[in-house]
Amino acid sequence: MSDGANLRGRFITFEGGEGVGKSTQIRLLESRLRAAGLDVVVTREPGGSQRAETIREYILGGGARALGPMAEALLFSAARIDHIDSLIRPALQAGKWVLCDRFADSTRAYQGANGKLGDDVMQALEQVTLAGVRPDLTLVLDMPPAIGLQRAASRRAAGAPADRFESEGLGFHARLRKAFHQIANAEPRRCVIVNADRTAPEVGADIFRIVDERLGDAAPAPAITR
């Protein structure tokens, strides 16, 4: 993988706990960016490429749970390498705006902080995995975990089981929320915490404003307007 310094597009990631509405907000932002004349790619992690989607199915199905957080982190990293090489990097090099539902911060929060893997381990994994590809902006959607879990449960099909992480207890999700706050507070130039415990249009309005303020001048087409 080549150095990320040659990338020309913009990379926005959406992070947060379960049920915070990342998918909804990505769709809203995608629509607004396309209306501004931008070329947009929407993707997700784990997944986003054929091989990474296979790993996603295995992880979220609980196949790696017994192997522990280190094994999960390595699997996420393997999926991320393929995702970057096959989709994210080419899109950014082509000048496209990439919107990604989760990225490396989720591995930091889920397997790093919650799995008690040390910062040195996470930094080493990121150095190998990302190879210079880092978000221009990360939107951390935030709400009380109990509300997020209720939302996640309500969107599942009748009789469908909770996935690997939705099935964890409330304590796990409280620690997860704390980890995302710590990540955002440590990198305020990249990360913005967005109150997601509101209606989708209200959250979307905040996100449009943040993207306009942070990245509007970078648009190759007319700047994003409110």
Side-chain angles (χ1 to χ4, degrees):
M1 294 185 290
S2 62
D3 194 319
N6 295 321
L7 304 181
R8 297 186 291 114
R10 289 296 177 267
F11 187 20
I12 303 175
T13 55
F14 288 69
E15 298 284 3
E18 305 299 326
V20 296
K22 292 182 281 72
S23 298
T24 297
Q25 293 306 323
I26 287 173
R27 288 195 298 271
L28 291 173
L29 181 58
E30 177 192 14
S31 177
R32 195 63 174 264
L33 293 175
R34 289 190 186 279
L38 298 172
D39 196 349
V40 183
V41 173
V42 172
T43 188
R44 67 179 183 177
E45 288 210 347
S49 64
Q50 184 175 352
R51 285 175 290 228
E53 288 289 338
T54 299
I55 296 174
R56 174 190 180 90
E57 183 177 350
Y58 177 67
I59 294 173
L60 297 188
R65 184 173 188 173
L67 301 177
M70 176 59 85
E72 283 188 331
L74 290 172
L75 285 167
F76 277 119
S77 296
R80 186 163 297 128
I81 288 171
D82 189 68
H83 188 202
I84 289 172
D85 285 350
S86 63
L87 190 149
I88 295 175
R89 187 186 300 277
L92 294 173
Q93 288 175 334
K96 299 177 181 181
W97 286 49
V98 177
L99 310 182
C100 190
D101 185 342
R102 299 199 182 282
F103 195 60
D105 291 319
S106 279
T107 305
R108 284 197 211 178
Y110 280 79
Q111 285 74 44
N114 243 334
K116 297 182 172 56
L117 298 181
D119 288 343
D120 55 340
V121 173
M122 302 313 299
Q123 289 171 7
L125 279 176
E126 287 189 9
Q127 183 176 2
V128 172
T129 304
L130 305 187
V133 177
R134 295 184 181 276
D136 297 288
L137 174 64
T138 296
L139 300 159
V140 179
L141 274 59
D142 177 66
M143 69 170 53
I147 296 175
L149 289 171
Q150 288 174 355
R151 290 189 179 185
S154 68
R155 74 189 178 197
R156 287 197 297 270
D163 72 22
R164 157 71 181 90
F165 299 108
E166 290 174 0
S167 63
E168 292 284 357
L170 191 58
F172 175 97
H173 294 282
R175 293 191 298 273
L176 185 66
R177 185 189 193 191
K178 180 179 179 181
F180 277 121
H181 276 251
Q182 290 173 335
I183 290 168
N185 291 334
E187 298 188 54
R189 295 184 64 180
R190 173 175 68 88
C191 302
V192 180
I193 297 174
V194 179
N195 176 14
D197 191 14
R198 296 173 291 167
T199 67
E202 288 173 330
V203 178
D206 254 4
I207 289 175
F208 299 150
R209 174 185 56 80
I210 292 164
V211 172
D212 192 21
E213 290 175 353
R214 297 288 185 107
L215 302 178
D217 290 343
I224 305 161
T225 58
R226 296 176 182 82

